[in-house]
Amino acid sequence: MKFHVDDLESALTLRHYFLGACNSPPLTRVRGLVHDEVIETHYVFCDALAQQQMKIRKFTHAIAVLLSSVASLFAHGGDSKAEPAKTKFSKKSEKPGEDRLFDVSSIAFTPGQLAGDRPEPGQRYPWKKDIVTTIFWIGEKPGGNNPVPNRTSSWDKGWTKNYGGIDEPDPAHRSNYMPVSFTPRQNPFYCALPYNDKAREGHRPEAPRVVPWFKDAYQGPAVSTCKDRWIAIRKGNRVAYAQWEDAGPFRTDHWQYVFGNDRPKPNLNKGAGLDVSPAVRDFLGLKPTDVTDWRFVEFNEVPRGPWSTHGENNTFVINDRQKGKTLVERLGTIAR
């Protein structure tokens, strides 16, 4: 349709009229002529216009979702290519007189690197890897970086006496993983970890929660659930087994490392997290300060070896004696 109007104001009035006519029958085209200028206004069905706008909004939303998904895909792809942190070892020590093939002071660990470790098939407890390991012995006097004498342990006030004497560390005075001057009355394969489950009275409040075997091993408030527990210690392709007999080095409260995923805390012995006896040292061929892997083991995982032959506290010896006693009792019954 075509309308002729005399001035621009009339044309605009006419335009506003048609713009407000959304409920009126549809107009396909309106043209207003003002002098020599033409004002054209195009209209479509109001409901058709609304539907078209809705389609545009849906299309815009779909594009936004698609772009978001693509961005997320690229973000995940970037993460998957990130290289894991590496543990670095120095190839050369700058300290004269020390073993230049290995320098534990140069070891760099990534915090939380054990978080991904899982027990191997058939094993309940995972390996704690690359742990700085030092040598200690029953009866050791304080000196150097060892401020505490080892006459007693966290769980045995008469440790040296009950062992039978000082566990002489000098290889010249040892044979078959034992001192030559006496036969130990306790297992010469022993170790220390920086946690003590005992308090002055009873057990530490966190012990029932953090010690995995606490409930099964509990024998009352006066008895440690950690003492005599077996651990495996690995160096290269050799594995020794030892019983946990003391708390240390340096700390007695670091359950987050002993039972969790923390690394050992810094200390005077280059962050040592494990002390082992001269017998363990000799079996594994360790230096005074070295690096090993270790993990807790159930007794049924421990094979027989030099760690299974001596000691009143040795599970092998205790079980063998019980079996021998049972056998004698059976033979006595048959003889009657």
Side-chain angles (χ1 to χ4, degrees):
M1 292 187 298
K2 182 181 293 185
F3 295 87
H4 293 270
V5 292
D6 296 333
D7 54 26
L8 179 60
E9 182 178 357
S10 299
L12 293 176
T13 301
L14 183 63
R15 181 176 184 273
H16 287 305
Y17 170 79
F18 284 110
L19 285 174
C22 289
N23 295 324
S24 301
L27 298 176
T28 58
R29 191 176 186 186
V30 176
R31 173 179 292 177
L33 298 178
V34 181
H35 302 297
D36 295 331
E37 297 181 7
V38 178
I39 300 176
E40 294 186 356
T41 306
H42 297 271
Y43 294 92
V44 294
F45 288 102
C46 290
D47 57 343
L49 178 61
Q51 291 178 9
Q52 187 69 14
Q53 290 174 341
M54 183 177 295
K55 290 180 180 179
I56 293 174
R57 285 196 297 268
K58 289 183 178 180
F59 178 75
T60 304
H61 177 71
I63 291 296
V65 172
L66 179 61
L67 291 176
S68 176
S69 300
V70 171
S72 176
L73 178 62
F74 278 103
H76 284 87
D79 290 343
S80 65
K81 295 180 180 179
E83 294 185 2
K86 298 179 180 179
T87 301
K88 298 182 179 179
F89 295 86
S90 172
K91 295 182 179 179
K92 184 177 180 180
S93 170
E94 297 179 355
K95 299 179 182 179
E98 293 186 357
D99 187 348
R100 294 184 178 273
L101 296 178
F102 179 78
D103 181 10
V104 293
S105 65
S106 63
I107 300 174
F109 295 109
T110 302
Q113 72 183 74
L114 290 179
D117 287 357
R118 294 292 182 270
E120 297 174 6
Q123 298 176 351
R124 180 179 178 185
Y125 305 103
W127 287 100
K128 295 183 181 295
K129 299 177 180 178
D130 301 319
I131 303 299
V132 176
T133 304
T134 50
I135 313 303
F136 82 133
W137 58 92
I138 296 173
E140 180 182 7
K141 296 179 180 180
N145 291 337
N146 176 37
V148 180
N150 290 324
R151 295 189 303 271
T152 65
S153 76
S154 294
W155 304 309
D156 187 352
K157 294 182 179 180
W159 198 21
T160 304
K161 179 180 178 181
N162 293 333
Y163 187 74
I166 297 174
D167 193 19
E168 174 60 57
D170 187 347
H173 299 154
R174 300 182 65 84
S175 177
N176 295 323
Y177 307 109
M178 297 184 295
V180 296
S181 58
F182 66 95
T183 299
R185 294 198 294 265
Q186 292 185 0
N187 192 350
F189 284 79
Y190 54 88
C191 67
L193 292 169
Y195 181 73
N196 181 3
D197 63 329
K198 289 288 284 94
R200 181 169 297 180
E201 295 182 2
H203 293 82
R204 291 181 184 269
E206 78 280 355
R209 175 172 53 89
V210 302
V211 179
W213 55 81
F214 185 90
K215 183 177 179 180
D216 294 334
Y218 185 78
Q219 299 180 40
V223 181
S224 169
T225 62
C226 297
K227 185 180 185 299
D228 298 329
R229 190 76 188 187
W230 287 90
I231 76 168
I233 306 164
R234 180 174 64 189
K235 178 66 176 180
N237 60 356
R238 290 179 68 83
V239 179
Y241 295 84
Q243 290 181 272
W244 187 3
E245 298 299 333
D246 198 9
F250 296 99
R251 303 179 67 96
T252 62
D253 60 350
H254 198 187
W255 61 265
Q256 296 91 337
Y257 153 64
V258 175
F259 303 113
N261 292 325
D262 277 13
R263 298 295 303 181
K265 299 288 187 182
N267 54 50
L268 295 176
N269 280 341
K270 302 176 182 179
L274 174 65
D275 277 342
V276 298
S277 69
V280 176
R281 173 202 65 189
D282 296 343
F283 185 86
L284 295 178
L286 301 179
K287 303 177 184 68
T289 301
D290 215 318
V291 170
T292 65
D293 307 330
W294 73 269
R295 73 179 185 92
F296 290 115
V297 290
E298 301 291 353
F299 176 64
N300 59 15
E301 297 180 74
V302 183
R304 287 193 176 268
W307 44 79
S308 64
T309 59
H310 290 81
E312 302 290 337
N313 64 327
N314 192 320
T315 316
F316 286 99
V317 174
I318 295 171
N319 290 351
D320 289 345
R321 286 179 178 175
Q322 184 60 42
K323 291 177 182 178
K325 180 180 179 181
T326 302
L327 179 60
V328 169
E329 291 175 350
R330 288 179 179 177
L331 292 175
T333 301
I334 294 173
R336 294 194 188 100

